[in-house]
């Protein structure tokens, strides 16, 4: 965590597979903003809110698990997670999140409940503090606002 004594918390934004393709991958579903643009907006919001923000994206399940475990040793207080396709398949990422006991908010750009039936179930929703889906990139900013409120309590 940064040495800034005015910071009220530390947050990890963890992005799953294929999110590095945002802006060009199925823009009718996922929008035109790139992952870098989303992260820049979140960093600006975090600075204004006195939060330390770390962003990480991986297409590899093991790297995501390693990053979750590292978050515990770094003193990360909250995670904003878009598990991408791992939402519907990864018990291992779920176990890592439960294992580190860091609260998290699950975010999806699209409304997974309006899509293919296999996308309707997430392995994370029942252990998440909250779930935001279908609001596009604003969902991340709303999640960060919710984290801010929870950290101030």
């Amino acid at each position: 965590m940064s040495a800034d004594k005015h910071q009220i918390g530390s947050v990890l934004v963890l992005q799953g597979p294929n999110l590095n393709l945002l802006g060009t991958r199925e823009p009718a579903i996922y929008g035109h903003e790139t992952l870098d643009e989303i992260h820049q907006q979140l960093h600006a919001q975090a600075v204004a809110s006195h939060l330390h923000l770390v962003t990480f994206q991986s297409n590899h399940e093991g790297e995501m698990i390693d990053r979750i475990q590292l978050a515990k040793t770094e003193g990360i207080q909250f995670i904003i997670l878009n598990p991408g396709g791992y939402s519907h398949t990864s018990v291992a990422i779920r176990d890592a999140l439960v294992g580190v006991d860091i609260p998290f908010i699950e975010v999806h750009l699209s409304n997974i409940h309006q899509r293919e039936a296999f996308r309707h179930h997430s392995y994370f929703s029942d252990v998440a503090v909250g779930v935001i889906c279908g609001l596009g990139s604003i969902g991340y900013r709303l999640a960060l606002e919710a984290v801010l409120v929870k950290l101030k309590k």
Side-chain angles (χ1 to χ4, degrees):
M1 188 152 146
S2 172
D4 182 350
K5 60 185 171 195
H6 296 102
Q7 288 184 338
I8 62 168
S10 186
V11 179
L12 169 65
V13 178
L14 182 60
Q15 308 277 11
N18 298 311
L19 291 165
N20 56 308
L21 299 177
L22 287 179
T24 59
R25 176 187 175 219
E26 300 177 90
I29 295 173
Y30 299 109
H32 294 280
E33 285 180 282
T34 67
L35 190 60
D36 285 340
E37 290 169 335
I38 291 169
H39 286 172
Q40 287 171 10
Q41 292 169 4
L42 291 174
H43 278 289
Q45 183 180 355
V47 167
S49 301
H50 303 288
L51 290 170
H52 174 67
L53 187 77
V54 177
T55 58
F56 183 82
Q57 186 277 329
S58 180
N59 293 320
H60 305 282
E61 186 176 37
E63 287 182 0
M64 291 180 68
I65 292 166
D66 289 343
R67 190 65 190 90
I68 291 164
Q69 292 174 359
L70 179 61
K72 182 70 171 186
T73 65
E74 293 175 325
I76 296 287
Q77 295 165 281
F78 227 102
I79 297 172
I80 295 172
L81 170 71
N82 184 339
Y86 288 135
S87 303
H88 326 292
T89 64
S90 185
V91 172
I93 293 174
R94 175 199 168 96
D95 287 348
L97 288 161
V98 171
V100 298
D101 196 30
I102 299 171
F104 70 96
I105 296 175
E106 180 181 0
V107 174
H108 298 279
L109 294 161
S110 67
N111 184 344
I112 60 175
H113 304 289
Q114 291 180 333
R115 301 196 52 205
E116 303 93 338
F118 71 87
R119 295 186 195 274
H120 295 182
H121 179 264
S122 166
Y123 280 99
F124 306 100
S125 299
D126 67 317
V127 291
V129 169
V131 179
I132 299 172
C133 70
L135 299 178
S137 65
I138 194 172
Y140 289 105
R141 296 189 297 278
L142 293 170
L144 193 57
E145 184 65 30
V147 167
L148 182 64
V149 168
K150 291 191 173 295
L151 289 175
K152 284 183 175 180
K153 284 185 176 179

